[in-house]
């Protein structure tokens, strides 16, 4: 048996080292002889002739001459890493510098071909594509043959079922034999997997025929047989370590569940039970199988919910949806406890909660509110108590909160109150989530609160614009406007407080301060207009109430500008932002006074608004001038820069 190339290289290097040592010893012996011959000749004595050494070692030098030191070479049995090459001798004394051994430069490996250009050269890709396509075509062919046999009345029903069963079992047996041969040859076994999946799909068709077509067995027996086929297929997939086969089994179950049962509710229950049974496989082995099975279960439950009739069928869908919703976070929590939280687990958590939210809204109003409230409470508890990695973005926390946050938003829509209160309800939900985010110091809650706040403010915008219209305010109830304004102001304050409680959101504090001030003042103006409209209805003078509300709103804006300016002049933290915001708000208040209040207000309220705003502007000017004078007096003689944090 020939040696490997590496061993051959080492042997050649050892032989080269031995040869170099022999040459060096010969050279040293010749140098010694040359010195012995040269010294007597220089003294006029006859030159003795020295015999050459008979051994391969170096010759002994004459008395009085130092013995040349041999170079330190490793023994021949251990090949050296570097080989010294002697240089030619210069002058009367040998000079043997050590040079590094010659090392051939490794050639760069050839660049692999592009993935787009070489996909057709990979055996696994082609075999997988052809195998899946062949399985689908074969399954369609079996289905067409079964339909044609029934339509043309070929054979007897017993013979049809027997032939279908024999063909399916034969395909499964052929798949086992083919896999054994491919596995021994070290080739991809995708063709065997596709063949086995086709055989199991044929068995599902046989169960479908004896259950729904010929009515030989009741529905529960057909479901039991289909479950047995599914269990055998999953066990085979686990034994073969084939996630593809398991996924094909799940797809077949999802496609044939509705024709097998004839009812969407029963089909959804069957698919969900199979999905829950596969949960241990999802956690321990295959993530893509979990995505596939939970996606099919979610679709089946959504179809069942849309088709469910009120009564027992609707409650069956509700119970099955609750089971699916419990299984999804359970799988993700099990992954998190094993330290392997993944994107598949997050997808499963989000998808499993959708049927519960949809089914809950189908019930009557108070029942739907109770189911959604339960979803919100259970989801928040799962977020607080579930073990997870909270240091790297907390994606699991974001996923777990999707169901409770959406449940709170839907709760506003299903409660039995007029649609005019929806804006106030959404603002209240956003404020509640902001409060929880600040209290728990939870960034996922803060993110969902920001999303809810954005949606609530967009919904509130038409109501805020309607508060400037006299007919719109006087023609509707003032209470929704009052609640929306107060909740908007409270939401602005809670959002600002929650931001200060979270360490990673400090960079967004300055822009959030501006937005919070604007939203809060807009909410206070809406509340002032609603209060004025309420007082006008009490005194039978709605117009006076509307004008007084807007006048009070303008004064509130100006007072807020004064407070911000004083705070900016006396506080070092965010001083420049406070002053700029105060001056900008004062400009907006003056613009509203001249562009809107001058035309919309009348009587004493118009004059009062101008007088109060004017006095506040004068006071602001005096305060600002005094602050600048104090800052100039405090400035050091050699300091050309203004004091930081103060104007």
């Amino acid at each position: 048996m020939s040696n490997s190339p590496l061993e051959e290289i080492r042997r050649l290097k050892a032989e080269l080292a031995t040869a170099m040592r022999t040459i060096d010893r010969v050279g040293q012996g010749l140098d010694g002889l040359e010195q012995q011959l040269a010294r007597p000749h220089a003294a006029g004595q006859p030159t003795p002739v020295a015999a050459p050494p008979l051994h391969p070692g170096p010759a002994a030098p004459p008395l009085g001459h130092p013995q040349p030191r041999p170079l330190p070479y490793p023994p021949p049995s251990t090949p050296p890493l570097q080989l010294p090459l002697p240089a030619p001798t210069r002058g009367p004394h040998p000079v043997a510098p050590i040079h590094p051994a010659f090392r051939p430069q490794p050639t760069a490996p050839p660049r692999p071909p592009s993935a787009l250009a070489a996909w057709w050269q990979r055996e696994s890709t082609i075999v997988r594509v052809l195998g899946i396509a062949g399985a689908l075509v074969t399954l369609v062919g079996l289905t067409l043959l079964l339909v044609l046999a029934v339509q043309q009345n070929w054979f007897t029903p017993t013979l049809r079922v027997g032939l279908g069963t024999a063909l399916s079992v034969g395909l499964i047996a052929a798949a086992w034999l083919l896999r054994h041969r491919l596995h021994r040859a070290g080739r991809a076994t995708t063709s065997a997997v596709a063949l086995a999946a086709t055989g199991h799909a044929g068995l599902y068709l046989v169960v479908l025929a004896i259950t729904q077509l010929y009515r030989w067995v009741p529905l529960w027996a057909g479901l039991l047989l289909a479950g047995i086929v599914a269990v055998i297929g999953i066990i085979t997939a686990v034994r073969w370590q084939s996630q593809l086969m398991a996924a094909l089994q799940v797809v077949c179950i999802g496609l044939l569940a509705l024709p097998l049962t004839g009812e969407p509710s029963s089909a959804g229950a069957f698919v969900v039970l199979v999905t829950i049974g596969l949960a241990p496989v999802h956690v321990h082995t295959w993530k893509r199988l979990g995505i596939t099975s939970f996606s099919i279960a979610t679709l089946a439950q959504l179809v069942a919910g849309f088709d469910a009739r009120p009564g027992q069928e609707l409650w069956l869908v509700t119970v099955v949806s609750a089971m699916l919703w419990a299984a999804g976070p359970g799988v993700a929590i099990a992954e998190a406890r094993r330290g392997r939280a993944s994107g598949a687990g997050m997808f499963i958590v989000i998808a499993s909660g959708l049927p519960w939210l949809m089914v809950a809204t189908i019930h009557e109003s108070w029942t739907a509110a109770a189911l959604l409230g339960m979803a919100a409470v259970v989801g928040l508890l799962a977020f607080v108590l579930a073990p997870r990695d909270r240091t790297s973005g907390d994606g699991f926390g974001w996923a777990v909160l999707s169901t409770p946050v959406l449940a709170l938003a839907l709760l506003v829509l299903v409660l039995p109150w007029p649609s005019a209160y929806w804006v106030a309800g959404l603002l209240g939900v956003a404020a509640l989530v902001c409060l929880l985010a600040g209290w728990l110091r939870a960034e996922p809650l803060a993110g969902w609160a920001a999303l809810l706040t954005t949606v609530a403010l967009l919904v509130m915008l038409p109501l805020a614009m309607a508060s400037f219209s006299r007919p719109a305010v006087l023609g509707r109830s003032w209470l929704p406007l009052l609640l929306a304004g107060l909740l908007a102001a409270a939401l602005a304050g809670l959002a600002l407080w929650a931001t200060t409680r979270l360490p990673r959101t400090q960079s967004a504090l300055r822009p959030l301060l501006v937005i919070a001030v604007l939203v809060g003042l807009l909410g206070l103006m809406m509340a002032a207009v609603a209060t004025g409209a309420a007082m006008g209805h009490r005194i039978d003078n709605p117009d006076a109430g509307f004008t007084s509300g807007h006048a009070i709103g303008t004064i509130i804006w100006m007072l807020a500008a004064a407070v911000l300016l004083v705070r900016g002049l006396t506080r070092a933290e965010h001083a420049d932002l406070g002053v700029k915001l105060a001056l900008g708000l004062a400009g907006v208040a003056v613009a509203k006074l001249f562009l809107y209040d001058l035309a919309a207000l009348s009587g004493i309220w118009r004059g009062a608004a101008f007088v109060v705003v004017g006095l506040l502007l004068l006071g602001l000017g005096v305060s600002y001038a005094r602050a600048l004078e104090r800052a100039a007096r405090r400035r050091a003689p050699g300091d050309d820069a203004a004091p930081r944090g103060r104007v």
Side-chain angles (χ1 to χ4, degrees):
M1 181 177 181
S2 61
N3 296 331
S4 64
L6 182 59
E7 294 176 354
E8 187 69 15
I9 291 173
R10 289 175 178 173
R11 187 183 63 79
L12 293 175
K13 289 174 67 177
E15 293 179 0
L16 180 60
T18 303
M20 294 300 299
R21 283 193 294 271
T22 304
I23 294 173
D24 187 73
R25 286 194 294 268
V26 172
Q28 291 177 3
L30 292 175
D31 291 338
L33 289 174
E34 183 181 6
Q35 293 175 6
Q36 292 177 7
L37 295 174
R39 187 170 183 178
H41 181 74
Q45 300 176 357
T47 304
V49 179
L54 299 178
H55 55 83
L63 186 62
H65 290 266
Q67 182 177 4
R69 299 175 60 186
L71 295 177
Y73 289 104
S77 60
T78 56
L81 296 179
Q82 294 184 353
L83 299 178
L85 299 176
T89 304
R90 296 181 181 178
H93 300 285
V95 180
I98 299 176
H99 297 280
F102 173 74
R103 294 183 178 180
Q105 297 294 330
T107 59
R111 296 181 59 184
S114 174
L116 294 178
W119 67 268
W120 51 271
Q121 297 178 353
R122 294 194 293 268
E123 178 186 0
S124 60
T125 303
I126 296 298
V127 171
R128 184 179 294 110
V129 172
L130 294 179
I132 295 175
L136 292 177
V137 172
T138 306
L139 181 60
V140 172
L142 290 176
T143 306
L144 294 177
L145 286 177
L146 178 62
V147 173
L148 188 61
V150 174
Q151 291 178 350
Q152 300 295 330
N153 198 17
W154 291 349
F155 315 114
T156 62
T158 305
L159 188 56
R160 296 171 197 162
V161 173
L163 290 175
T165 305
L167 179 59
S168 301
V169 173
L171 290 175
I172 296 174
W176 278 89
L177 181 60
L178 179 61
R179 183 189 178 276
H180 179 68
R181 292 181 177 178
L182 293 175
H183 186 70
R184 290 185 59 183
R187 302 178 61 185
T189 59
T190 309
S191 300
V193 169
L195 196 62
T198 307
H200 284 87
L203 291 179
Y204 287 124
L205 291 176
V206 171
V207 174
L208 174 64
I210 64 176
T211 304
Q212 292 293 335
L213 184 60
Y214 302 121
R215 306 286 181 178
W216 291 350
V217 297
L219 178 59
W220 65 267
L223 292 176
L224 180 61
L225 292 175
I228 293 174
V229 175
V231 169
I232 295 174
I234 297 301
I235 292 176
T236 303
V238 173
R239 183 178 179 85
W240 289 3
Q241 289 298 305
S242 174
Q243 186 173 194
L244 175 61
M245 181 176 177
L248 291 176
Q249 293 288 327
V250 172
V251 171
C252 289
I253 292 171
L255 293 177
L256 297 176
L258 184 58
L260 176 64
T261 59
E263 297 178 357
S265 57
S266 301
F270 176 65
V271 175
V272 169
L273 289 176
V274 173
T275 300
I276 295 175
L278 291 175
V281 182
H282 306 162
V283 176
H284 293 276
T285 309
W286 296 320
K287 308 303 178 186
R288 287 177 291 178
L289 176 62
I291 295 176
T292 304
S293 59
F294 271 90
S295 299
I296 293 176
T298 299
L299 291 176
Q301 279 300 104
L302 291 176
V303 172
F306 279 118
D307 192 71
R309 295 180 296 272
Q312 185 177 0
E313 185 177 355
L314 180 57
W315 279 107
L316 174 62
V317 176
T318 304
V319 172
V320 175
S321 299
M323 295 171 59
L324 181 63
W325 182 41
V331 169
I333 291 173
E335 287 184 357
R337 290 181 66 88
R338 295 170 61 90
R340 297 190 302 171
S342 60
M346 301 173 196
F347 174 82
I348 288 172
V349 170
I350 297 174
S352 61
L354 296 179
W356 175 265
L357 296 176
M358 189 271 297
V359 172
T361 57
I362 299 177
H363 287 271
E364 297 179 355
S365 57
W366 288 112
T367 304
L371 294 176
L372 292 173
M374 182 175 65
V377 173
V378 173
L380 290 174
L381 289 177
F383 171 76
V384 174
L385 301 178
R388 64 184 190 276
D389 182 13
R390 311 188 184 202
T391 60
S392 58
D394 199 2
F396 178 73
W398 281 84
V400 170
L401 285 174
S402 61
T403 299
V405 171
L406 292 177
L408 287 174
L410 291 175
L411 185 61
V412 175
L413 304 179
V414 301
L415 284 175
W417 56 13
S419 59
Y421 292 91
W422 287 358
V423 177
L426 289 176
L427 291 170
V429 169
L432 175 61
V433 178
C434 280
L435 177 62
L436 292 175
W439 180 40
L440 298 175
R441 297 179 184 267
E443 294 181 3
L445 270 173
W448 281 106
L451 181 60
L452 281 176
T453 300
T454 303
V455 174
L457 292 179
L458 290 177
V459 175
M460 187 194 75
L461 190 59
L463 186 61
M465 298 299 296
S467 64
F468 289 92
S469 174
R470 189 189 303 264
V473 173
L474 301 180
R476 66 177 65 180
S477 176
W478 54 270
L479 185 57
L481 183 62
L482 177 63
L483 291 176
L486 294 177
L487 288 172
L491 175 59
L494 287 173
L496 196 59
W497 170 75
T499 304
T500 59
R501 300 263 298 174
L502 297 172
R504 297 187 184 180
T505 57
Q506 297 301 316
S507 59
L509 188 59
R510 291 175 65 89
L512 184 61
L513 179 61
V514 177
I515 297 175
V517 169
L518 296 179
V519 172
L521 292 177
L522 181 61
L524 290 178
M525 190 207 69
M526 293 168 58
V529 172
T531 304
M535 297 301 296
H537 282 291
R538 278 191 171 273
I539 62 176
D540 293 333
N541 193 354
D543 290 337
F546 176 78
T547 55
S548 64
H550 269 286
I552 294 173
T554 306
I555 294 172
I556 289 175
W557 285 11
M558 205 62 218
L559 287 173
V563 171
L564 288 173
L565 184 61
V566 172
R567 184 180 178 86
L569 294 176
T570 57
R571 298 282 184 98
E573 186 179 5
H574 303 297
D576 55 342
L577 180 61
V579 172
K580 294 176 183 178
L581 190 57
L583 296 177
L585 187 58
V588 172
V590 172
K592 179 179 181 296
L593 190 67
F594 280 95
L595 298 179
Y596 180 80
D597 293 348
L598 186 62
L601 305 185
S602 60
I604 189 174
W605 288 106
R606 180 166 55 187
F610 273 82
V611 169
V612 173
V613 171
L615 292 176
L616 288 175
L617 285 173
L618 292 175
L620 288 179
V622 172
S623 300
Y624 194 70
R626 289 179 178 176
L628 290 177
E629 185 179 356
R630 289 195 300 268
R633 286 199 303 265
R634 286 194 301 268
R635 185 181 306 171
D639 189 8
D640 296 333
R644 293 184 179 180
R646 298 180 183 273
V647 180

